[in-house]
Amino acid sequence: MPNPTRILYCHCAYAQVVPADTKAAVLEQLSASGVSFEAVPDLCEMSARRDPGLADIAAADGATIVACYPRAVRWLFSAAGSVLPEGVRVVNMRVAEVPEILLALELPVETP
Amino acid sequence: MSNARALRIVLYEGLGSRPLDAPVRLAALRQLLESGYGVTRVATGTGMAALPGEGPIAVLGRFEQAQPGVAESHGDGRPVFFCNVEGLEPDGMLRGLEELHARANTAPRAKWKPWFPVIDFSRCTNCMQCLTFCLFDVYGVSKDKKIEVRNPTNCKTDCPACSRVCPEVAILFPKYKGGPINGDEIRDEDLHREKMKVDISALLGGDIYAALRQRSADAQARFSRERDEKRALDERRKCLTKLQQDLGIPPEVLAALPSLDQIQAKTARAMADGGGEEPL
Ligand code: SF4
Ligand code: SF4
């Protein structure tokens, strides 16, 4: 199965809004997988700084962003001057269960 | 928030580098992210990817061949520093990066809880109520006379007050605990609830600023009349707690309330100088 063209994982490092267990499990599976990915400490902080890296990520075709609410992520990119293309998928770690997130990333889901 | 150049990290396990042991890789990723570094993981069997952003890059790997200390990246000429992490634990990698900052002319990211309003422009009607309400010049007006978040770092951490006055529920705080302010979808009952919050300001007397200042002044007057300081302080605390609960406004924000004249003058100024960019 082909990997998504680009994966961006947000660690939401400066707040506890993403459940710690979810973050830990997703990062662990990404790390154990054979895929290349981008990981950022905190998309909110990048948006406030208008980090030019956000524009590069927005330009990547078929990117999957693992962060929080899609509406928040979309407008964080907009605040930094980058419009997320329609094809970008945002997976919400605040509410989604780990297997659902791994499936969206096309990573193997371990069955207990 | 510091604007000093950041060091971009590549955890390189691609061609010409042995893979890291799984526990070391995971711990390194976690510690790098928690120390404020953005990381690109380049997996086994692949080559170097195009990296987002700009500025110097530190490539950490277990290189099979000697690497130059520093090189230039293809295409954009960014300086690339190669760091052999053979035998290093994540703590050792972080120490190495700290030492690299001076050579790379970069600085570690200062810890700042990124708390600031984000506007959902699919809902915003450019009514400027947020700009009028915010006491800390977080908002400004762009060249094309549109509301913008001009100074995000001026925002008071954990104060979501402006999101409560926006009649369109167009203001998000992504790190807020509840929806729809955190970016969750907006339901009909949210619209109703958010409108209710605006109505609370009307109940306070139509002019929210005058009402807040009056309540604050009442508490202060009581404080000065009161001989028993503890009772006066309790009273003031009760008043502030009530306002905090009604509108979610932190006490230090209440303590700094400007007059209505000052607020109106600020709005007029912002509209007149629309577009005066201030660096973040
Ligand atoms: S984008 Fe979402 S997940 Fe990422 S730092 Fe902001 S609030 Fe946290
Ligand atoms: S109060 Fe809401 S609708 Fe009005 S300008 Fe601000 S964000 Fe836009």
Side-chain angles (χ1 to χ4, degrees), chain A residues 10 12 17-18 42-44 67-68 73 76, chain B residues 174-175:
Chain A
C10 176
C12 202
V17 294
V18 171
D42 196 297
L43 272 179
C44 290
C68 58
V73 173
L76 277 168
Chain B
K175 293 193 190 309

Short mmCIF file of all heavy atoms in Angstrom, two decimals, chain A residues 10 12 17-18 42-44 67-68 73 76, chain B residues 174-175, ligand 1:
data_model
loop_
_atom_site.label_atom_id
_atom_site.label_comp_id
_atom_site.label_asym_id
_atom_site.label_seq_id
_atom_site.Cartn_x
_atom_site.Cartn_y
_atom_site.Cartn_z
N CYS A 10 1.69 16.94 14.59
CA CYS A 10 1.84 18.07 15.51
C CYS A 10 1.88 17.53 16.94
O CYS A 10 0.98 16.80 17.35
CB CYS A 10 0.66 19.04 15.35
SG CYS A 10 0.74 20.39 16.53
N CYS A 12 1.78 19.32 19.68
CA CYS A 12 1.04 20.20 20.61
C CYS A 12 1.80 20.31 21.93
O CYS A 12 1.26 20.09 23.01
CB CYS A 12 -0.38 19.65 20.83
SG CYS A 12 -1.55 20.90 21.41
N VAL A 17 -3.92 19.81 25.43
CA VAL A 17 -5.26 19.66 24.86
C VAL A 17 -5.44 18.35 24.10
O VAL A 17 -6.55 17.87 23.95
CB VAL A 17 -5.68 20.87 23.99
CG1 VAL A 17 -5.81 22.11 24.82
CG2 VAL A 17 -4.73 21.09 22.83
N VAL A 18 -4.36 17.77 23.60
CA VAL A 18 -4.45 16.48 22.93
C VAL A 18 -4.16 15.41 23.99
O VAL A 18 -3.18 15.53 24.72
CB VAL A 18 -3.40 16.38 21.78
CG1 VAL A 18 -3.32 14.98 21.22
CG2 VAL A 18 -3.72 17.38 20.69
N ASP A 42 4.66 22.38 17.59
CA ASP A 42 3.37 23.02 17.88
C ASP A 42 2.97 23.90 16.70
O ASP A 42 3.59 24.94 16.44
CB ASP A 42 3.57 23.87 19.15
CG ASP A 42 2.27 24.29 19.80
OD1 ASP A 42 1.51 25.02 19.15
OD2 ASP A 42 2.04 23.92 20.96
N LEU A 43 1.96 23.47 15.97
CA LEU A 43 1.50 24.24 14.80
C LEU A 43 1.01 25.62 15.18
O LEU A 43 1.15 26.57 14.41
CB LEU A 43 0.35 23.49 14.11
CG LEU A 43 0.67 22.46 13.06
CD1 LEU A 43 -0.62 21.84 12.55
CD2 LEU A 43 1.44 23.07 11.90
N CYS A 44 0.40 25.74 16.37
CA CYS A 44 -0.09 27.05 16.80
C CYS A 44 1.08 28.04 16.89
O CYS A 44 0.99 29.17 16.41
CB CYS A 44 -0.76 26.96 18.17
SG CYS A 44 -2.31 26.08 18.18
N ALA A 67 -3.27 16.50 13.89
CA ALA A 67 -3.20 17.59 14.87
C ALA A 67 -4.50 17.62 15.67
O ALA A 67 -4.75 16.69 16.46
CB ALA A 67 -2.93 18.92 14.17
N CYS A 68 -5.31 18.66 15.45
CA CYS A 68 -6.54 18.76 16.24
C CYS A 68 -7.71 19.07 15.31
O CYS A 68 -7.77 18.52 14.21
CB CYS A 68 -6.36 19.80 17.34
SG CYS A 68 -5.92 21.41 16.70
N VAL A 73 -7.03 23.96 12.41
CA VAL A 73 -5.79 23.80 11.64
C VAL A 73 -5.87 24.64 10.36
O VAL A 73 -4.93 25.36 10.01
CB VAL A 73 -5.55 22.30 11.32
CG1 VAL A 73 -4.36 22.14 10.38
CG2 VAL A 73 -5.31 21.53 12.62
N LEU A 76 -5.42 28.23 11.21
CA LEU A 76 -4.04 28.50 11.67
C LEU A 76 -3.13 28.67 10.45
O LEU A 76 -2.26 29.55 10.43
CB LEU A 76 -3.52 27.34 12.52
CG LEU A 76 -3.93 27.34 13.99
CD1 LEU A 76 -3.59 25.99 14.63
CD2 LEU A 76 -3.24 28.46 14.76
N PRO B 174 -7.39 27.62 19.41
CA PRO B 174 -7.24 26.18 19.21
C PRO B 174 -6.90 25.41 20.49
O PRO B 174 -7.22 24.24 20.60
CB PRO B 174 -6.10 26.08 18.19
CG PRO B 174 -6.15 27.37 17.45
CD PRO B 174 -6.57 28.40 18.46
N LYS B 175 -6.28 26.08 21.47
CA LYS B 175 -5.92 25.36 22.69
C LYS B 175 -6.98 25.50 23.79
O LYS B 175 -6.74 25.13 24.93
CB LYS B 175 -4.55 25.84 23.18
CG LYS B 175 -3.41 25.44 22.23
CD LYS B 175 -2.07 25.64 22.86
CE LYS B 175 -0.90 25.49 21.92
NZ LYS B 175 -0.88 24.29 21.11
S1 SF4 C 1 -2.63 22.81 15.93
FE1 SF4 C 1 -3.90 21.78 17.41
S2 SF4 C 1 -2.68 20.02 18.00
FE2 SF4 C 1 -1.30 21.47 17.03
S3 SF4 C 1 -0.49 22.78 18.64
FE3 SF4 C 1 -2.28 23.81 17.91
S4 SF4 C 1 -3.91 23.10 19.25
FE4 SF4 C 1 -2.26 21.67 19.48
#
